[in-house]
Amino acid sequence: MISINKASCGYNGKIILPDISFSFQKGEAVCVLGANGVGKTTLFRTLLGLLPLLAGDIVIEGKSLKALSHRQLAKLVAYVPQAKNLSYQHPVEDVVLMGRAQYIKTFDVPSEKDYNIVKEVMTSLNISHMLGFPYSNLSGGEQQLVLIARAMVQGASYILLDEPASNLDLANQSLLMQTINNLKEHKVGVLMISHIPTHAFACCEKTLIVYHDGTSEYGDTKDIITTDRLKKAYGTNVEIIEGRSASGEIVHTYSLL
């Protein structure tokens, strides 16, 4: 479990996101919603040990974040940045292999086990056909899946996804949601930043909404994402619409008024 207890996050001693508390377990996904600048990325950077925790505590699998070395933390928490047409010229499998770095000693080379793990993860994500392709030649959606594979080969219990659907077309957004649900089935915990409420309904049991004044609300996605809360979070008129799919499942969309 990752447990965030009255944590205050920020940088240069300045608190951006104060007194935040929530928790989630392996096999669960949480969506973080909120306008630009409210501290979502600052929260991620704190969880990754890139920024010091300014108050409170963060406990990961029973250990305080403050007591974990960078190598120990990397074995527990992986990070997937936004795919922004990164210019890696390496073959896809080499980009994925980067996720094994903390298991490879200085001056050693990757083992057969490392390469087998890369192939297994790529197969599980249905991207094994990309083997040998230059990463820079892939589409944004394909690059995003490769970055998720890189995170998975770390063997981490939790993955942080920073706006993973940005710049993805509808087909790749759907594939991404399926991938997140697949991660949950493999008992991986997912924390995802998004600006699209329907993504939370598609794959996240819980949602954290962060407001401009630094306050936040956390709970079951179906209960926490409401028209009033989204208006408060984004400062615009937005309505959540509930309906049913052709198969009878409850579905949600939103409309800007």
Side-chain angles (χ1 to χ4, degrees), residues 33-49:
L33 297 175
N36 292 330
V38 297
K40 303 184 301 297
T41 298
T42 301
L43 171 64
F44 268 33
R45 289 176 62 82
T46 303
L47 281 166
L48 292 167

Side-chain angles (χ1 to χ4, degrees), residues 38-71:
V38 297
K40 303 184 301 297
T41 298
T42 301
L43 171 64
F44 268 33
R45 289 176 62 82
T46 303
L47 281 166
L48 292 167
L50 301 175
L51 289 173
L53 185 62
L54 300 180
D57 196 18
I58 295 176
V59 178
I60 303 175
E61 293 295 288
K63 297 180 180 180
S64 173
L65 175 64
K66 299 173 184 177
L68 293 169
S69 68
H70 288 297
R71 184 177 291 270

Side-chain angles (χ1 to χ4, degrees), residues 33-41 82 163 193-195 210 212 233-234:
L33 297 175
N36 292 330
V38 297
K40 303 184 301 297
T41 298
Q82 298 178 39
E163 295 189 40
I193 293 175
S194 180
H195 287 295
V210 182
H212 287 283
Y234 292 99

Side-chain angles (χ1 to χ4, degrees), residues 174-233:
S174 176
L175 182 57
L176 175 67
M177 299 301 110
Q178 294 174 30
T179 299
I180 292 172
N181 284 322
N182 185 43
L183 288 173
K184 288 159 38 182
E185 290 178 2
H186 285 81
K187 300 303 178 184
V188 175
V190 177
L191 186 63
M192 173 182 72
I193 293 175
S194 180
H195 287 295
I196 305 176
T198 49
H199 289 168
F201 286 113
C203 61
C204 297
E205 293 82 5
K206 305 282 187 178
T207 294
L208 173 73
I209 297 184
V210 182
Y211 301 114
H212 287 283
D213 61 2
T215 60
S216 60
E217 293 186 84
Y218 179 70
D220 291 343
T221 294
K222 60 183 177 60
D223 297 324
I224 206 74
I225 298 182
T226 64
T227 294
D228 288 343
R229 288 192 177 97
L230 292 181
K231 287 180 180 178
K232 180 180 177 181

